[in-house]
Amino acid sequence: MLDLLRQVLGPWYLQIKFVHVLSVAVWIASTVVAYTYYVVPVFKAWRRNPQDPEIITLRNWVMERFDQGIIFEHVAFPLIILTGPMMYIAGGWSTATNWLLLKIILVCLVAIPIEMFDYHISHFRGNKQRLRRAGDAAGYDRAVQRHWMFFLITSPPIMVFSVLIVFLAITKPF
Ligand code: HEM
């Protein structure tokens, strides 16, 4: 079965790699401007003036847009997770290659769990637009605050580990 897959995918290795690397670029960079120049400033303003209705309106608008904008990242991520193993098989890679083993461990322990939670709070039960349309004001506020906590907790490790994963893949240091 693996041999068959290797034969089928082998000739497409570079095209698969193209999709993998392009998706990595989208995964890493697609939310950077929105996060840095919209989400963070509006949340800082709200922390300073938690009762200001204008800032709350702006905060909610930004969060709803962010839930939509992050769709780019969340389409790119499954493409990475699909094309990585495809190249693994097509290229005859193995976990005896240390940089690749470390990369896969980091992807499984850091990137996948964080992304799973991110899907949940952005598109499923934590989707702000859906909560607003359902008239669940308390749930809406909880969802916005939980999303902010998620950003605070996950941004530092994801910044470090995503760069480390790319560094390992490109430099193949060991
Ligand atoms: C967040 C997840 C991932 C990121 C950021 C990432 C990043 C990258 C990058 C930037 C490259 C290009 C390296 C180069 O051109 O020299 C690459 C290649 C590769 N990745 Fe990933 N990857 C991820 C997930 C995975 C997974 C889950 C696997 C396998 C299970 C995988 C297997 C591979 C393989 C086999 C290559 C080809 C190396 C080569 O041909 O030189 N990747 N990855």
Side-chain angles (χ1 to χ4, degrees), residues 13 17 20-21 24 27 77 80 84-85 87-88 93 99-100 103-104 107 165-166 169-170 172:
Y13 188 87
K17 187 165 168 172
H20 192 71
V21 174
V24 168
W27 179 61
F77 191 68
I80 299 172
M87 281 190 296
Y88 186 92
W93 292 92
W99 67 265
L100 185 56
K103 179 177 129 156
I104 293 171
V107 171
I165 290 168
V166 173
I170 290 177
K172 306 176 179 37

Side-chain angles (χ1 to χ4, degrees), residues 12-145:
W12 299 100
Y13 188 87
L14 288 178
Q15 285 80 358
I16 298 167
K17 187 165 168 172
F18 165 74
V19 175
H20 192 71
V21 174
L22 188 65
S23 304
V24 168
V26 173
W27 179 61
I28 288 184
S30 58
T31 59
V32 171
V33 171
Y35 180 72
T36 311
Y37 293 105
Y38 291 81
V39 172
V40 170
V42 87
F43 268 91
K44 280 186 175 167
W46 170 63
R47 297 310 273 173
R48 280 193 298 271
N49 305 282
Q51 307 304 334
D52 186 324
E54 279 185 25
I55 292 178
I56 291 175
T57 305
L58 196 58
R59 179 203 68 175
N60 295 350
W61 183 85
V62 166
M63 273 319 296
E64 288 191 29
R65 296 284 74 73
F66 197 81
D67 278 354
Q68 283 189 318
I70 207 162
I71 288 172
F72 287 108
E73 179 185 310
H74 289 163
V75 169
F77 191 68
L79 289 175
I80 299 172
I81 297 305
L82 187 70
T83 49
M86 282 167 84
M87 281 190 296
Y88 186 92
I89 295 167
W93 292 92
S94 86
T95 45
T97 308
N98 289 332
W99 67 265
L100 185 56
L101 176 62
L102 180 56
K103 179 177 129 156
I104 293 171
I105 291 172
L106 291 176
V107 171
C108 292
L109 292 186
V110 182
I112 291 179
I114 288 179
E115 287 300 341
M116 299 289 279
F117 196 70
D118 202 4
Y119 280 85
H120 174 71
I121 61 173
S122 303
H123 313 297
F124 300 109
R125 293 198 58 186
N127 181 265
K128 321 302 170 296
Q129 195 179 63
R130 192 170 304 142
L131 289 164
R132 175 168 54 76
R133 287 187 177 152
D136 183 358
Y140 186 100
D141 217 63
R142 267 198 312 276
V144 170
Q145 300 208 30

